[in-house]
Amino acid sequence: MTPCESASIWRPIESAPRLWLFLDYDGTLADFAPTPDHIQPDATLIALVTRLVQTPDLRISIISGRRLSHIQQLLPIDGLMIAGTYGIEMRAWNGEAITLVDLSTVRPLLRSIKQEWQGLIAGQHGFYLEDKDWSLAIHAKDAAPSVAEQVIREGRRLANEAVTSQPREQFRILGGNRFLEIGPSAAHKGRTIDFLFARYPMPDALPIYIGDDDKDEEAFEIVKAHGGMALAVMPRPRPTIANCRLESPAATRRWLLELIARRNAE
Ligand SMILES: [Mg+2]
């Protein structure tokens, strides 16, 4: 797969009149934290993102599954647009707050699932239940594989059962072998990008999205449909619709420094 450092990738980026950069946080700009509630601001990263904010003809949005308040603490930078909880809670460049879903419509169901999931992981080693207000997640990266699989399967069954009593498609359940999350269907990075394109049009801009997981792939699709570019951060190659690959968050940072240098050199 094409490395994002290739000349063929830089060409359209250098010639675009303006850029709109979308950046995921964990696994993209920074290595994964020990737990998702872990907040450790990184001065080097804050300096880098501040320079991006100051780069001419470049708009920047951070889009993360973390809560808005977490990202605000990780990147306390004026003029930065942040979409938290996959875009459910946002703060625009001008400080405007945007909420895509009314918390009171989702909380009752999440509260009852939380109770069931707490029962499920009680006394089990290596599980972490994260409550992001608009969504709930079980993280099982430190659990034994067979136990993780069994707990995630049962957690999914309980969530599916609870969701069937709700208005159609109000919730979505996401997950893999080591992760399970339930949240509003609107908590979707692709839908959020669509919303942002409609709300803050930037017609002559080339959109560029950098992300590392399957939730980012949903955004890659929308960005590419709008003529933009998708950059996937992946230590090991995997199936992706991205245009090119960055090997690690450290490689993303080097690439962004190069972007600043090239855009400022014009
Ligand atoms: Mg990520």
Side-chain angles (χ1 to χ4, degrees):
M1 184 171 194
T2 315
C4 297
E5 295 83 357
S6 310
S8 62
I9 300 296
W10 280 117
R11 216 166 292 126
I13 295 173
E14 277 186 304
S15 60
R18 296 202 287 165
L19 301 176
W20 189 346
L21 195 55
F22 297 94
L23 302 171
D24 169 49
Y25 191 89
D26 294 275
T28 296
L29 288 176
D31 292 323
F32 286 101
T35 74
D37 282 335
H38 192 85
I39 300 175
Q40 186 141 45
D42 174 337
T44 312
L45 182 58
I46 293 170
L48 170 61
V49 176
T50 303
R51 286 186 63 197
L52 284 168
V53 168
Q54 292 162 351
T55 301
D57 301 315
L58 186 145
R59 185 189 264 184
I60 166 169
S61 303
I62 305 293
I63 175 160
S64 170
R66 286 210 201 209
R67 282 179 240 191
L68 173 62
S69 60
H70 278 200
I71 301 293
Q72 286 175 316
Q73 289 173 69
L74 288 166
L75 296 173
I77 300 165
D78 286 340
L80 182 62
M81 196 259 151
I82 301 173
T85 317
Y86 310 111
I88 291 284
E89 39 168 0
M90 297 188 260
R91 192 196 58 186
W93 301 273
N94 57 6
E96 182 190 3
I98 305 160
T99 305
L100 296 187
V101 174
D102 180 355
L103 194 56
S104 68
T105 64
V106 298
R107 205 54 211 169
L109 180 89
L110 295 181
R111 209 175 292 123
S112 81
I113 292 177
K114 185 179 180 178
Q115 245 175 15
E116 294 188 309
W117 282 4
Q118 271 167 339
L120 193 60
I121 65 170
Q124 304 267 27
H125 176 75
F127 291 91
Y128 184 81
L129 180 61
E130 183 190 14
D131 187 343
K132 296 193 274 188
D133 292 341
W134 275 276
S135 73
L136 283 181
I138 298 178
H139 298 263
K141 73 178 167 63
D142 299 324
S146 60
V147 184
E149 195 190 315
Q150 192 188 332
V151 167
I152 296 291
R153 198 189 315 121
E154 180 60 10
R156 183 184 281 275
R157 192 191 64 75
L158 290 167
N160 272 322
E161 204 174 85
V163 165
T164 53
S165 65
Q166 299 296 308
R168 227 174 117 80
E169 292 179 6
Q170 197 194 349
F171 289 91
R172 74 196 294 242
I173 300 166
L174 296 168
N177 294 334
R178 299 299 188 101
F179 177 72
L180 182 65
E181 178 163 18
I182 179 162
S185 300
H188 183 290
K189 288 182 171 183
R191 289 194 189 187
T192 297
I193 300 284
D194 248 345
F195 172 87
L196 292 174
F197 282 149
R199 176 107 170 201
Y200 305 104
M202 198 181 181
D204 57 349
L206 174 72
I208 302 171
Y209 190 109
I210 313 183
D212 73 299
D213 71 16
D214 53 339
K215 274 88 77 188
D216 298 307
E217 293 281 335
E218 295 175 330
F220 289 172
E221 215 179 301
I222 306 298
V223 165
K224 289 181 76 178
H226 282 82
M229 298 175 78
L231 283 60
V233 183
M234 32 188 197
R236 284 166 301 281
R238 58 160 171 78
T240 175
I241 61 164
N243 298 88
C244 63
R245 174 186 172 212
L246 290 162
E247 284 186 1
S248 63
T252 305
R253 293 183 188 200
R254 282 194 297 274
W255 191 91
L256 291 170
L257 281 171
E258 179 68 20
L259 175 72
I260 292 167
R262 289 183 186 234
R263 293 295 295 190
N264 282 318
E266 278 166 15

